Amino acid sequence: MQVGIDQIGLFTPDKYVDMVDLANARKQDPNKFLVGIGQREMSVADITQDAVSMGINATLKFIDKIDKNKVGLLIFGTESSIDQSKSASLFVKTALKLKPEVRTFEVKEACFGLTAALMMARDFVRVHPEQTAIVIGSDIARYGVNTAGEVTQGAGSVAMLIKADPSILALNNGHSAYSEDINDFWRPNYSRTALVDGKYSTQVYLDFFKKTYTDYKKQKGLKTSDFDAITYHLPFTKMGMKANNIAIEGQDQATMIKLERSFAAAKQLSSRVGNIYTASLYMSLLSLLENGELPAGSLIGLFSYGSGAMAEFYSGKLVEGYEKQIDPTADQAMLDRRKKLTVKQYEDVFNTALLDPEDGLELTSDDEVGTWYFAGTKDHIRQYRVKE
Ligand code: HMG
């Protein structure tokens, strides 16, 4: 029995900053951001979009197409948690009207969170093939105004339905995992913005890629030329490009061209949305499916990296007819509908969202893309509402 990704939905809030504007404001050469980092735009979440509301909005992309009664597991991966105890997934479960018998919880290991959720969901469906699982990754990447990491911020969520006989990607057995207890990136409980040893983090990312990719190929008896595409966690697209360059180094011309083309397709969405931590790898996968024109049966490698640090390489095969489940025009329209902020507007929106609204204050949302939004707290309980 094959198990894998049957549905996939992306949500990003309706505001963005152009990287040329940001570079000019920070007195940097725009090519540093456009080419050196590889980002064109960056989505910005205002105070009414948090991990929960974005996760609901991503899942809404496919919820009407699935049998909700079959969903036996709902896992929410995030490092932008809204509560130290209660899982974000319980708010989502209520919004989506899933049955009370669903097993549901939140997981965390930096950007690896959604891969952890996906692997648990795959194993759950293998044991309960008549049931399905929803996994959600949802995050707001925040380093702070005028920091080195600022250009690598972003906001968004990816939700996926995991099921037997999937319609998009059948996951292959096996994986290669690697972890070390290090301090490349972290966010203490007292801080709304991440702390990072930026240059070190990029070295560790590449080091963990080499380890897991080499080990995976050895385990499975695969060569680089066997892959039709490799997708990467993309904190910024140049990071993935560096890993892809390692993968294709010394390969024949045809393999190099194939994997360069597929990477170019896979980075499109990230270059306009920015880092969405847990969901970033899966936004790359979606971007590849939307822009890559790959035939069914194509072998796709997936490299997941979460700071702290934990990495995993695994693979899947594209299923016949997968294109019917993908709607590139809808995602393009969502990005095109976003409002461009000036750098001053972005700074105000960003700094406001770092603060908790006064308890009892009802927030209204001007987000034109999201259906659900965070409406403030009442008696210190978070309120989520549907836009009128
Ligand atoms: P920086 O100091 O601003 O940048 O920090 P730089 O000076 O190293 O320049 C960046 C690149 O731009 C360089 O290219 C320059 O040469 C180039 P490279 O050597 O890397 O190939 N450059 C130019 N190119 C063209 N024209 C120009 C020009 N000027 C310079 N005029 C850094 C960059 C990424 C370190 C910073 O933004 C940062 O700290 N970001 C956050 C950390 C991060 O994203 N790390 C990635 C790996 S860790 C990870 O992926 C996990 C994460 O997602 C969190 C999680 O797991 O939860 C972050």
Side-chain angles (χ1 to χ4, degrees):
M1 180 187 58
Q2 294 195 312
V3 175
I5 302 170
D6 188 73
Q7 297 290 327
I8 180 164
L10 168 72
F11 173 78
T12 191
D14 78 335
K15 298 176 180 65
Y16 78 98
V17 184
D18 190 288
M19 288 298 120
V20 174
D21 294 345
L22 188 66
N24 288 333
R26 303 293 176 246
K27 301 199 177 0
Q28 299 281 339
D29 179 348
N31 276 335
K32 175 174 177 185
F33 289 7
L34 298 172
V35 183
I37 296 289
Q39 293 301 120
R40 290 163 54 201
E41 296 166 358
M42 169 176 106
S43 285
V44 180
D46 69 26
I47 195 168
T48 66
Q49 285 298 333
D50 66 9
V52 169
S53 61
M54 293 194 302
I56 300 169
N57 288 325
T59 316
L60 288 183
K61 300 287 170 85
F62 60 75
I63 199 74
D64 291 338
K65 292 201 253 170
I66 70 167
D67 182 348
K68 287 202 271 188
N69 274 325
K70 290 197 169 155
V71 180
L73 179 69
L74 169 69
I75 314 179
F76 199 107
T78 187
E79 49 182 306
S80 314
S81 230
I82 47 85
D83 194 284
Q84 290 282 22
S85 297
K86 183 173 170 179
S87 162
S89 65
L90 284 158
F91 295 97
V92 178
K93 189 203 111 187
T94 303
L96 301 178
K97 298 193 170 65
L98 296 181
K99 62 184 181 189
E101 290 78 13
V102 69
R103 179 190 288 162
T104 186
F105 53 92
E106 185 176 307
V107 293
K108 178 180 70 182
E109 181 1 65
C111 300
F112 180 71
L114 182 50
T115 301
L118 173 67
M119 291 302 162
M120 281 190 270
R122 180 188 69 179
D123 297 347
F124 172 86
V125 174
R126 280 181 179 160
V127 178
H128 309 283
E130 73 295 349
Q131 296 188 50
T132 63
I134 293 175
V135 291
I136 301 170
S138 186
D139 276 300
I140 303 172
R142 290 189 175 114
Y143 295 91
V145 165
N146 217 346
T147 58
E150 183 179 36
V151 61
T152 64
Q153 297 178 142
S157 174
V158 169
M160 294 180 281
L161 182 76
I162 311 306
K163 147 179 193 305
D165 300 322
S167 308
I168 297 178
L169 189 76
L171 300 176
N172 291 324
N173 284 339
H175 66 274
S176 174
Y178 186 82
S179 65
E180 269 181 43
D181 176 6
I182 58 158
N183 299 302
D184 60 330
F185 165 105
W186 66 104
R187 185 166 70 80
N189 282 348
Y190 55 77
S191 179
R192 288 283 165 98
T193 50
L195 303 179
V196 64
D197 188 343
K199 297 270 160 51
Y200 175 54
S201 74
T202 62
Q203 285 163 21
V204 180
Y205 174 111
L206 294 177
D207 184 35
F208 278 35
F209 171 66
K210 280 184 215 156
K211 284 191 165 79
T212 55
Y213 181 54
T214 308
D215 180 68
Y216 186 78
K217 282 190 298 180
K218 200 168 150 204
Q219 259 190 51
K220 308 289 282 182
L222 288 168
K223 302 185 293 300
T224 296
S225 55
D226 293 326
F227 289 95
D228 298 291
I230 303 177
T231 52
Y232 302 87
H233 165 56
L234 291 180
F236 50 97
T237 70
K238 177 75 166 290
M239 188 77 254
M241 194 182 105
K242 286 185 180 182
N244 203 46
N245 286 344
I246 290 172
I248 64 177
E249 197 182 348
Q251 297 298 312
D252 59 71
Q253 192 73 2
T255 304
M256 283 171 105
I257 292 172
K258 175 176 69 174
L259 294 181
E260 271 173 352
R261 279 203 185 130
S262 56
F263 180 70
K267 73 175 185 182
Q268 297 301 322
L269 289 170
S270 295
S271 73
R272 297 190 63 190
V273 172
N275 193 357
I276 54 173
Y277 291 159
T278 46
S280 168
L281 167 63
Y282 300 93
M283 181 163 66
S284 315
L285 174 66
L286 182 61
S287 186
L288 174 71
L289 302 181
E290 292 183 352
N291 303 298
E293 295 176 8
L294 290 178
S298 294
L299 178 66
I300 301 181
L302 297 100
F303 173 64
S304 180
Y305 177 81
S307 283
M310 166 78 219
E312 187 159 321
F313 193 96
Y314 67 99
S315 72
K317 274 208 165 159
L318 278 182
V319 174
E320 193 71 51
Y322 78 91
E323 308 89 339
K324 293 189 210 107
Q325 309 302 328
I326 305 295
D327 187 355
T329 48
D331 284 336
Q332 208 56 40
M334 174 175 65
L335 296 189
D336 292 345
R337 258 179 87 180
R338 292 175 306 169
K339 295 186 266 285
K340 181 171 157 173
L341 303 179
T342 63
V343 173
K344 172 76 176 78
Q345 286 169 330
Y346 138 69
E347 289 175 359
D348 290 345
V349 167
F350 183 94
N351 287 326
T352 305
L354 294 180
L355 305 170
D356 287 322
E358 189 188 327
D359 188 50
L361 182 72
E362 173 92 22
L363 302 177
T364 53
S365 171
D366 67 357
D367 191 300
E368 286 177 12
V369 182
T371 306
W372 282 78
Y373 69 98
F374 168 57
T377 61
K378 191 164 171 247
D379 299 327
H380 303 280
I381 298 166
R382 291 179 87 84
Q383 308 293 315
Y384 292 93
R385 305 234 191 290
V386 181
K387 279 191 69 186
E388 301 285 307

